[in-house]
Amino acid sequence: MQLKMTVVETEEFLREEFPQVADHVVVEALTLEETVVRLRVGDAHLRPGGTVSGPSIFAAADVAVYVAILSRLGPVALAVTTNCTINFMRKPPARDLCARARLLKVGRTLVVGEVGVFSGGIADPVAHAVLTYAIPTSESEVK
């Protein structure tokens, strides 16, 4: 199996279809085994006390799985998260987050992915998530 989108194509797709995250996300690696996405953490991602907020950590995990799906299936704009279980394991400092995703199952209508989220300077993950995405089934839903 080959990847259907490159890093450049994926970032272009995010700018066009998902501009609300495109300025905050960098696709660092796309392989069949792993997708690595970096969330550029800014003031909007911080909670009182200077730690990265839970919603920002979730966003990093969610986008990482979405990017992994794009790399495997091509530009499926309407793929949506249907389930997420996330464990927040340690308090991340105000640094960029690195989300490392791998797809566990790629089916016709559902994709399941796993993500470890890391913060700069901390070797152990700050969060772990398992996400399920629904994939559009009709050709009209695929961009």
Side-chain angles (χ1 to χ4, degrees), residues 29-109:
L30 279 178
T31 68
L32 289 173
E33 294 78 33
E34 183 179 62
T35 296
V36 181
V37 170
R38 183 168 42 94
L39 176 70
R40 291 185 217 154
V41 172
D43 289 340
H45 300 107
L46 302 180
R47 58 178 286 183
T51 186
V52 179
S53 71
S56 296
I57 297 169
F58 167 80
D62 192 42
V63 171
V65 172
Y66 184 63
V67 167
I69 291 167
L70 293 174
S71 75
R72 292 281 187 91
L73 302 180
V76 184
L78 297 179
V80 294
T81 309
T82 59
N83 189 52
C84 176
T85 301
I86 189 165
N87 295 293
F88 299 101
M89 298 185 284
R90 44 194 57 80
K91 184 172 124 177
R95 297 186 189 133
D96 288 359
L97 297 176
C98 179
R100 298 181 167 277
R102 66 186 185 103
L103 299 182
L104 304 174
K105 179 188 186 299
V106 179
R108 189 179 60 77
T109 60

